[in-house]
Amino acid sequence: MEKITILSSSGGLGSGFPEKSLSEGLKMNPDVIALDAGSSDPGPYYLGAGLTTESRASVKRDLELLLMARQKKNIPLIIGSAVTTGAKPNLEWTIDIAREIAKEKRLKFKLAKIEADINKDIIRKALKEKKIKTFETGKALTKKDIDNATRIVAQMGIEPFIKALKLKPDVIIAGRAYDPAVIASLPIMKGFDKGLAIHMGKILECGCMACEPASGFDVLVATMQKNCFILKPPNKIRKCTKESVAAHTLYEKDNPIRLGLPGGLLDLTNVSFEEIGDRSVKVSGSKFIEEKYTVKLEGATKVGYRTIFIAGARDPILINKIDEVIDAVKDEVKNEFKGTKFKTFFHIYGKNGVMGNLEFIKNSTPHELGIIGEVVADTQEASKAICGQLCHRMMHYDYPGRKATAGNLACLYSPQSVAIGEVYEFNIYHLLEVSDPTELFPVSIEEIG
Amino acid sequence: MNKTRSIKDLAKIVRSKNAGPFLFTFDIIFNDVKTYEQVKNSKVINRELIMKLYNLKSNVKVEIFTLDPACAIKITFPRPIPSGSLGDSDVLGAQQHVPLYDIEIPWNYGN
């Protein structure tokens, strides 16, 4: 095989993409459609709760177009980290949608499922055997972290995809995966350079984010050759430029020269980006360096239930004293609910709502403030009761110098306090050493339709 | 005449984002090699400056990288609060870049 062409529809499944871009992309004769459908970016809630950022209707729309496109060209469709978290409830949800589409559209395909949930006993054993490495949390994993996690997944590398591809499925829907692995696996199986393929996957996993104008919601096509890959967006309003592709190479990565991944590093010291006309950019020089094989574990734990209120402040006398008013109100509520475990937070937009302690403008006096009060407690009932009081006390707190004695806040809504459910935190983000890169990720086959 | 120019004025892209739930990463990307080289060689963007701009404690690990083929400077440091953990106010980390705008780079207008 001298070249291989890969089409990625978008930066997610259910994020949407223009149908015309897909049909134009299919004219470029892709050998595979592959996309990354997940991200930890929306935060720990989705992994903890087993839910997706995208709706069922949006995912169904995208998946239907991709399944039809796959069938038309008789090429494989590979979807990784389905959807959002790649955890079991999300993976099964995605496959259920695929079955529904097959039934409605009378499609037949052989599906390979790759699971990425990790049994807690495996992690407990690995912890005992010192096979778990501390990573970006800066904290060693504890037995308690494992016990407390609602759900734990691991990011699979390319090997489980290659194992599944050898079973010749029409469609692969996989759990949590290293984003580029989803897209790089077929080229690597066919013998294309691993470093280049992973770099190509890193760019395609976000759709047209590497284009000008950028969009995560549009189709991007890559053609790999022996020593390079060429990127081109089918949508004529976009182009790849040297800068847009270079910039995207850095996107969401801590180190731009050596990018860590399952089983090694992507070394970009000698990478080169070249505009070759026709809205296309050629990339070469990316190298894979093999290292001890580890997979990244992700776990989330429930820390309580949240209730919030949203209000504005317009009175300059209050705005000047906002910190002391908040401290006083927090104290009042703390005293009232003595014996109940809870935490209160205030987000003051117009002051430091966005950057918190990192904010460098310390002494500005805005003419109005946006205030979000927040209570997290062990039950929804408790957080609702306490947040109701927090809002009420804030509304009527009699601070020194007050003239507006009827109330301190412009409350945005009735009801003032809104219960917004479970709160999760990432409590596991560690590296697990494995001897066989496929052992944690079972592959199973299902004939659909 | 020696003066200075701001990063907001010199760079094409200045952005922040999560690099995983525990790190913030910042990209400063330039349109042309000449501007990039001048900023890089000025050595103004260093660990001490970032610590000062973001009010970071001395034990915070700040990493600064340059990637010549991309005309890019990258800065990475741990988030003060992990993404979505209690008290966090920027789950995706997309609005933490602004202090970088006002970094002043010595600039010789004669060049």
Side-chain angles (χ1 to χ4, degrees):
Chain A
M1 222 176 174
E2 282 187 2
K3 60 172 195 164
I4 185 166
T5 300
I6 306 99
L7 181 150
S8 174
S9 58
S10 45
L13 186 69
S15 58
F17 51 84
E19 276 188 67
K20 177 128 197 289
S21 296
L22 180 61
S23 58
E24 289 297 315
L26 292 180
K27 287 181 195 160
M28 294 160 79
N29 290 319
D31 298 283
V32 59
I33 300 173
L35 67 146
D36 163 47
S39 172
S40 62
D41 247 8
Y45 175 79
Y46 302 93
L47 178 61
L51 295 171
T52 59
T53 49
E54 314 295 350
S55 71
R56 190 177 175 96
S58 314
V59 169
K60 193 175 172 185
R61 180 264 181 196
D62 283 7
L63 188 52
E64 187 173 310
L65 288 171
L66 295 174
L67 286 168
M68 304 289 272
R70 182 219 77 72
Q71 175 155 300
K72 188 176 161 196
K73 298 298 263 186
N74 193 25
I75 52 174
L77 167 65
I78 309 176
I79 298 168
S81 298
V83 165
T84 310
T85 69
K88 196 174 168 65
N90 305 39
L91 178 63
E92 295 300 338
W93 180 86
T94 315
I95 291 172
D96 191 54
I97 296 172
R99 287 191 199 103
E100 189 177 292
I101 294 166
K103 205 171 161 189
E104 286 171 14
K105 297 286 162 187
R106 298 188 179 179
L107 301 177
K108 274 173 82 90
F109 50 88
K110 180 174 167 181
L111 172 81
K113 170 172 86 174
I114 317 176
E115 291 170 74
D117 281 43
I118 311 296
N119 186 299
K120 286 187 178 181
D121 287 336
I122 291 175
I123 302 173
R124 287 187 188 105
K125 186 164 173 269
L127 184 63
K128 259 188 213 161
E129 292 170 354
K130 301 194 183 336
K131 285 184 177 167
I132 293 180
K133 294 204 283 189
T134 302
F135 189 46
E136 290 163 356
T137 63
K139 289 180 203 155
L141 188 71
T142 64
K143 268 171 79 180
K144 210 175 145 195
D145 291 328
I146 303 170
D147 295 342
N148 288 347
T150 315
R151 203 164 273 113
I152 306 169
V153 293
Q155 290 190 9
M156 65 184 83
I158 52 156
E159 295 79 2
F161 286 99
I162 291 176
K163 185 178 167 187
L165 282 166
K166 285 183 176 159
L167 303 171
K168 298 197 181 310
D170 301 307
V171 179
I172 298 176
I173 301 182
R176 189 67 173 129
Y178 170 60
D179 303 350
V182 188
I183 297 160
S185 54
L186 186 65
I188 292 170
M189 187 175 98
K190 299 279 185 192
F192 288 87
D193 182 80
K194 205 168 175 178
L196 283 170
I198 290 165
H199 190 181
M200 182 275 299
K202 159 86 187 90
I203 290 172
L204 252 64
E205 61 112 340
C206 288
C208 279
M209 284 289 277
C211 299
E212 283 180 21
S215 169
F217 319 114
D218 207 344
V219 178
L220 186 58
V221 174
T223 301
M224 287 202 72
Q225 297 167 10
K226 193 167 179 279
N227 297 316
C228 67
F229 63 90
I230 291 162
L231 298 161
K232 184 182 175 182
N235 188 340
K236 291 190 175 61
I237 68 158
R238 303 187 198 286
K239 61 178 177 182
C240 285
T241 68
K242 206 180 150 198
E243 292 84 20
S244 69
V245 175
H248 195 69
T249 298
L250 310 178
Y251 186 63
E252 294 178 336
K253 287 287 150 194
D254 61 324
N255 180 332
I257 305 152
R258 293 162 75 83
L259 289 72
L261 59 115
L265 284 171
L266 180 60
D267 183 334
L268 297 179
T269 313
N270 296 314
V271 71
S272 106
F273 306 99
E274 187 190 340
E275 285 174 18
I276 56 166
D278 197 23
R279 301 181 291 115
S280 302
V281 163
K282 182 166 122 180
V283 183
S284 58
S286 345
K287 285 205 165 44
F288 175 76
I289 299 172
E290 193 166 331
E291 290 204 324
K292 195 162 195 177
Y293 208 103
T294 58
V295 292
K296 198 190 286 173
L297 299 171
E298 295 171 340
T301 183
K302 186 154 84 180
V303 293
Y305 293 79
R306 178 180 279 134
T307 303
I308 61 167
F309 74 83
I310 305 175
R314 182 65 181 80
D315 187 315
I317 307 170
L318 172 67
I319 289 173
N320 270 319
K321 294 173 185 280
I322 192 72
D323 287 340
E324 57 187 277
V325 171
I326 284 172
D327 286 345
V329 169
K330 272 183 166 178
D331 274 353
E332 280 193 7
V333 172
K334 209 165 139 189
N335 282 331
E336 190 183 334
F337 290 92
K338 234 182 244 167
T340 307
K341 217 178 99 198
F342 68 95
K343 284 186 173 160
T344 52
F345 300 91
F346 277 89
H347 306 277
I348 311 295
Y349 290 92
K351 187 175 161 64
N352 62 357
V354 173
M355 295 189 67
N357 290 336
L358 299 186
E359 180 56 62
F360 64 106
I361 297 177
K362 299 285 183 198
N363 298 313
S364 74
T365 308
H367 73 277
E368 68 177 25
L369 294 174
I371 298 173
I372 294 180
E374 171 186 347
V375 174
V376 177
D378 287 345
T379 66
Q380 189 71 75
E381 283 309 302
S383 87
K384 212 174 165 194
I386 300 164
C387 191
Q389 274 297 338
L390 192 70
C391 180
H392 201 57
R393 299 287 176 122
M394 181 90 185
M395 179 74 175
H396 294 294
Y397 183 73
D398 190 8
Y399 56 89
R402 183 164 82 141
K403 292 184 192 290
T405 56
N408 302 327
L409 299 174
C411 293
L412 185 61
Y413 297 128
S414 169
Q416 278 79 57
S417 292
V418 190
I420 55 170
E422 299 158 335
V423 184
Y424 291 90
E425 291 187 344
F426 284 115
N427 74 328
I428 299 179
Y429 198 68
H430 294 76
L431 300 176
L432 168 64
E433 282 175 21
V434 293
S435 46
D436 172 0
T438 65
E439 69 188 343
L440 296 171
F441 308 100
V443 178
S444 54
I445 292 288
E446 179 181 341
E447 294 289 346
I448 292 186
Chain B
M1 187 171 61
N2 285 315
K3 278 194 172 175
T4 63
R5 286 178 74 182
S6 71
I7 285 296
K8 188 178 166 198
D9 175 28
L10 291 169
K12 187 185 183 197
I13 294 171
V14 182
R15 65 187 179 192
S16 69
K17 194 77 194 278
N18 292 349
F22 293 88
L23 303 177
F24 279 147
T25 194
F26 304 78
D27 299 335
I28 305 174
I29 307 176
F30 300 89
N31 245 344
D32 63 286
V33 180
K34 211 178 147 190
T35 309
Y36 164 70
E37 290 290 344
Q38 194 159 341
V39 174
K40 182 180 150 182
N41 294 336
S42 78
K43 299 195 165 88
V44 169
I45 300 175
N46 55 38
R47 203 181 119 82
E48 288 68 36
L49 178 73
I50 300 303
M51 309 267 290
K52 200 177 114 202
L53 285 176
Y54 286 91
N55 202 12
L56 302 174
K57 288 184 186 149
S58 58
N59 60 353
V60 173
K61 188 182 167 200
V62 177
E63 292 184 283
I64 300 176
F65 306 94
T66 52
L67 184 62
D68 294 347
C71 293
I73 298 173
K74 188 182 248 305
I75 302 150
T76 300
F77 60 78
R79 297 172 58 106
I81 300 170
S83 165
S85 283
L86 293 182
D88 181 31
S89 52
D90 189 356
V91 172
L92 285 83
Q95 283 292 304
Q96 304 299 317
H97 59 288
V98 177
L100 303 176
Y101 278 165
D102 297 330
I103 296 173
E104 293 288 334
I105 307 294
W107 210 263
N108 189 335
Y109 281 81
N111 275 355

